[in-house]
Amino acid sequence: MLEDYKNALKSGQRAYRACVARGQSPYLAVLDDILVNVNIVAQEPLGLVEIPAESIVGTKTSGRHTAFAPNFMPLLEPDTEFAGKWSNLCDAHLDEGIHTPIIAYEFLNKFYVQEGNKRVSVLKYFDAVRIAGTVTRLVPERNDSLENRIYYEFLDFYKLSKVNDVHFSRLGGYAKLQTLVCKASGESWTDDDRLSFSSFYTMFRQQFLALGGGGLNLTAGDAMLVYLSVYRYADACESTPSQMKQNLEKLWDEVKVLTEPQAVALSLEPKQGPGEPLLAKLNIFTKPSELKVVFLHEHNAESSAWVRAHDKGIEALQQAFPDRVFITRKENIEPEVDAEQVLEDVAHDNADVVFTSSARMHTACLKVAAQHPKTRILNCSLNAPHPLVRTYYPRTYEVTYLLGILAGVLTKTDRVGYVAANPVYGIPAAVNAYAQGLKTVRPDAKVVLRWACLPDPAHPLDFSDRPDVEIFYARDNREPEGTHRDYGLVRRMPDGSLQPLGLPVWRWDTFYIEIIRSIFDGAWDSDAAGARAVNYWWGMRSGAEEIDYSKDLPAGTLQLLDLMEKMLHEDDLRIFPEDLYAQGHVLHSPEAVVYSPKELMEMDWLDECVEGALPHYDELDVKTHVLMAINGLNTLKGFVK
């Protein structure tokens, strides 16, 4: 049909001119040219594949590549033989459909046509979503480029799912998707799984593009991970297009923040200084006269030291604002069962601020925050890049550094222990800081690392199997199962009891008082410039943490620790040297002279003096998997094979 050809030609000419204006090639990409300096390590026949039409980006050879613009629309004049063949193919498609598969090569999850360029052109003209083709995959040699690393993650995912139309711009997306669709690591997809996902993703992508997602520097897959982090996959599959669009609109700031180079705004100290913020003085932001504040705990004060510590902070908050803050506490909330409904209830009850003291409640916080933007919701966790929910947590590495010094002073051997909680953001930095403190006084000493989330009878958390480890950073086993919290540096006595030497104290009162003060002062909104996520990550200087040392410590040791703490307060002490060596003697250096807070928070390696390893995702239990999905280290969320 010649009229269709003329319309397709106009589309091709527009694409041609746009590419020329951008200084790009105005013709189809040629795979043979792309592969000139690429080492292909494997060719895998994939058989007959439903190829996403948008992923067909070029041709295998240069033979006819100038006959098409990059969008596969034709460029040759209507009176050519080419135009006649294209029009005849168009007629055949309208009469009975195009059934002959194309032949194509796949490279880096993009497809290049060996045979059937005109078929692709006609089908794309009629907005075909998928095109059948017999495909051969060309696998490049591994390298350190982001594109290559993402592609190898895709290869692992494709073996399980046979899904090829989801793309990510960041590492870890495919493994996270596997988790979000309720598949275990290594579990294969069924035909029904693929059908359900295809239906969901097609609808999601349409709504993403309808809201302007095509103009953002991210993929529909990136946005989908944000969506499924808030809305359950099973519910998402049952949504109508209008419901999905409405839900996605509520999360649009969450999606857009992915395009920010610094998605998380770290607040490292409470804002101090005389007077009110300028924007508050100008009355740009609301300054409330009183606040309804709700605290939600996973456990209760009777059984959990963690809750008792937070309750002390709550009491201090009440004393700081006796006539302006009206506090409600709710305990024994199961994060995956009760939290969402409880949050809904308190939001409907017009709560102004909600603090949730369990990191496992973060997902519920996100979903409710999307529905109730006027309620300020905070979660006690670290490095969650979500503007809807702010997080707060102490800089634990400052405390563990000082305790590492104390361990080195007191140990009679060259081995000290460390029991870490879970492999989440901030934990490797805390372990490595402990190691730096130890090496300050014992350069050749080693840290024996164990994990509270990986109980092993052969390797108990009190190191009783290691006579050479008498001093260690331990967990308080007096707390109920599942509520263990950092207990601090201890010495194992001959009778097996633990003698406290230095106990970290997390001053939640500092967080609660200063955060609420910022709302009263009108500074809350100004903290989130650019709709970025805000993480309050405060340290010793702010008063958010301190150490309760044993009174039996030698006076000289206490004097040394006081001096080191004073240097931390005055920012005169560098905990991490410029050059650090990880296990295997791998050199790590900061981007600048000093490690940035972001580099410390996202540290995912262990100092070479540490004996032990970060656990693998598959070793962890379901409860820890939930925690990992929220603020676990990216390299451990099932991504490492």
Side-chain angles (χ1 to χ4, degrees):
M1 189 175 291
L2 193 56
E3 194 62 34
D4 283 314
Y5 184 83
K6 291 179 180 178
N7 290 332
L9 175 61
K10 291 178 182 178
S11 177
Q13 290 170 338
R14 285 194 297 270
Y16 179 99
R17 291 191 295 269
C19 287
V20 170
R22 293 193 296 265
Q24 300 170 345
S25 170
Y27 305 114
L28 286 180
V30 178
L31 181 59
D32 285 349
D33 295 341
I34 294 171
L35 297 179
V36 169
N37 296 312
V38 177
N39 182 21
I40 298 298
V41 296
Q43 293 193 31
E44 301 175 0
L46 301 181
L48 188 62
V49 173
E50 289 293 316
I51 307 171
E54 66 173 352
S55 298
I56 303 177
V57 299
T59 183
K60 173 66 167 59
T61 63
S62 60
R64 272 295 188 132
H65 82 291
T66 58
F68 300 93
N71 63 351
F72 259 95
M73 293 301 100
L75 291 173
L76 302 184
E77 292 302 319
D79 58 354
T80 61
E81 179 184 2
F82 175 91
K85 291 182 178 180
W86 194 100
S87 296
N88 291 336
L89 191 60
C90 178
D91 291 338
H93 174 63
L94 292 175
D95 289 341
E96 57 187 43
I98 295 175
H99 303 297
T100 305
I102 66 171
I103 298 175
Y105 285 84
E106 183 252 283
F107 174 68
L108 294 177
N109 206 13
K110 297 175 182 176
F111 296 82
Y112 302 82
V113 181
Q114 171 75 30
E115 182 180 308
N117 287 307
K118 283 192 289 294
R119 273 171 273 165
V120 171
S121 182
V122 170
L123 289 169
K124 283 202 172 198
Y125 173 74
F126 286 105
D127 296 323
V129 176
R130 291 178 177 81
I131 298 173
T134 302
V135 176
T136 300
R137 171 173 287 154
L138 302 179
V139 182
E141 184 179 28
R142 283 183 184 267
N143 60 49
D144 289 332
S145 71
L146 179 62
E147 183 180 37
N148 184 278
R149 294 169 67 191
I150 292 175
Y151 181 66
Y152 267 86
E153 289 186 354
F154 162 74
L155 292 180
D156 290 332
F157 175 74
Y158 185 81
K159 290 175 185 176
L160 302 173
S161 68
K162 298 297 185 290
V163 170
N164 62 4
D165 55 350
V166 181
H167 302 268
F168 299 107
S169 62
R170 293 161 175 76
L171 291 169
Y174 290 105
K176 185 172 184 180
L177 175 58
Q178 176 83 354
T179 300
L180 290 173
V181 299
C182 305
K183 288 291 182 183
S185 176
E187 182 181 355
S188 296
W189 293 36
T190 66
D191 289 341
D192 286 344
D193 292 333
R194 280 185 283 276
L195 188 62
S196 295
F197 179 78
S198 177
S199 176
F200 156 72
Y201 182 65
T202 299
M203 181 167 60
F204 177 84
R205 186 174 178 277
Q206 290 171 345
Q207 302 312 319
F208 172 74
L209 295 176
L211 289 172
L216 301 178
N217 187 27
L218 51 87
T219 69
D222 296 331
M224 178 188 61
L225 294 183
V226 174
Y227 190 89
L228 292 180
S229 294
V230 177
Y231 299 103
R232 297 183 188 91
Y233 177 62
D235 295 336
C237 288
E238 298 295 325
S239 298
T240 65
S242 61
Q243 288 172 336
M244 183 173 289
K245 184 177 181 181
Q246 187 179 46
N247 289 339
L248 186 56
E249 284 177 328
K250 293 174 181 176
L251 292 176
W252 202 241
D253 280 346
E254 294 281 316
V255 171
K256 288 195 298 183
V257 79
L258 296 177
T259 65
E260 298 287 338
Q262 296 292 335
V264 178
L266 285 174
S267 167
L268 300 178
E269 304 290 342
K271 290 186 176 180
Q272 303 290 344
E276 298 174 296
L278 176 60
L279 293 177
K281 289 181 178 180
L282 296 175
N283 293 320
I284 292 178
F285 301 120
T286 303
K287 295 192 295 181
S289 59
E290 57 185 40
L291 292 169
K292 291 178 64 175
V293 183
V294 180
F295 290 85
L296 306 185
H297 300 309
E298 179 177 354
H299 303 289
N300 60 69
E302 183 178 346
S303 64
S304 171
W306 180 255
V307 174
R308 289 196 295 275
H310 280 273
D311 276 358
K312 289 182 180 178
I314 296 170
E315 292 166 5
L317 172 65
Q318 185 69 77
Q319 293 174 8
F321 304 101
D323 301 319
R324 303 181 69 189
V325 171
F326 302 92
I327 294 174
T328 302
R329 311 182 206 195
K330 295 181 181 291
E331 299 181 332
N332 299 317
I333 298 170
E334 181 59 38
E336 287 82 50
V337 178
D338 307 323
E340 185 179 326
Q341 186 58 56
V342 174
L343 281 161
E344 278 282 354
D345 292 343
V346 299
H348 277 296
D349 196 32
N350 297 316
D352 297 299
V353 188
V354 182
F355 290 96
T356 55
S357 64
S358 169
R360 293 172 60 217
M361 293 185 191
H362 191 277
T363 301
C365 291
L366 266 180
K367 187 167 183 178
V368 174
Q371 306 293 332
H372 301 277
K374 292 184 179 180
T375 301
R376 305 170 183 87
I377 299 180
L378 300 98
N379 180 253
C380 188
S381 58
L382 183 63
N383 198 35
H386 299 285
L388 290 172
V389 177
R390 299 191 183 186
T391 61
Y392 60 101
Y393 212 80
R395 292 204 296 271
T396 56
Y397 70 86
E398 295 180 348
V399 165
T400 57
Y401 173 76
L402 295 174
L403 293 178
I405 293 175
L406 180 57
V409 169
L410 298 180
T411 184
K412 299 175 183 177
T413 71
D414 278 335
R415 294 289 186 279
V416 299
Y418 191 106
V419 178
N422 300 290
V424 296
Y425 287 118
I427 291 296
V431 176
N432 291 338
Y434 183 76
Q436 301 313 308
L438 173 68
K439 291 191 292 185
T440 298
V441 292
R442 285 184 179 265
D444 298 323
K446 303 288 185 183
V447 176
V448 181
L449 175 64
R450 290 179 180 173
W451 293 91
C453 59
L454 290 177
D456 179 3
H459 301 92
L461 301 184
D462 64 356
F463 296 91
S464 54
D465 61 317
R466 292 287 300 263
D468 57 334
V469 178
E470 179 191 14
I471 305 291
F472 49 91
Y473 187 86
R475 307 283 285 167
D476 188 351
N477 292 319
R478 297 171 300 177
E479 293 298 319
E481 184 68 27
T483 64
H484 296 200
R485 294 298 167 190
D486 295 335
Y487 185 48
L489 197 71
V490 298
R491 174 188 281 116
R492 189 181 62 255
M493 306 301 288
D495 63 358
S497 62
L498 302 182
Q499 176 191 20
L501 302 171
L503 174 66
V505 179
W506 314 126
R507 294 293 302 273
W508 303 114
D509 56 323
T510 298
F511 285 99
Y512 294 143
I513 291 172
E514 295 303 327
I515 290 172
I516 293 299
R517 191 190 309 279
S518 76
I519 298 173
F520 280 133
D521 290 346
W524 168 275
D525 295 292
S526 64
D527 285 341
R532 289 189 297 171
V534 177
N535 284 195
Y536 301 100
W537 198 31
W538 297 345
M540 301 191 80
R541 183 177 181 179
S542 69
E545 55 188 13
E546 58 189 32
I547 302 176
D548 184 8
Y549 293 110
S550 168
K551 295 182 175 58
D552 296 329
L553 292 179
T557 300
L558 288 172
Q559 187 176 12
L560 170 64
L561 293 168
D562 286 343
L563 175 62
M564 302 301 280
E565 185 172 329
K566 181 180 179 182
M567 293 176 68
L568 275 177
H569 276 264
E570 297 175 354
D571 204 23
D572 289 333
L573 178 62
R574 187 185 302 177
I575 292 177
F576 297 95
E578 184 174 349
D579 293 332
L580 282 175
Y581 286 91
Q583 293 170 330
H585 201 62
V586 177
L587 178 64
H588 281 270
S589 299
E591 290 185 7
V593 177
V594 179
Y595 278 91
S596 68
K598 184 175 187 294
E599 287 175 312
L600 293 176
M601 187 166 52
E602 297 180 356
M603 190 175 281
D604 59 0
W605 49 271
L606 298 172
D607 189 279
E608 65 179 342
C609 82
V610 177
E611 297 178 355
L614 296 171
H616 191 280
Y617 183 87
D618 290 336
E619 298 177 284
L620 304 170
D621 60 22
V622 174
K623 187 175 181 179
T624 309
H625 282 175
V626 173
L627 191 62
M628 291 289 290
I630 295 166
N631 68 338
L633 297 168
N634 279 340
T635 53
L636 301 182
K637 294 179 183 177
F639 307 160
V640 179
K641 298 295 179 184

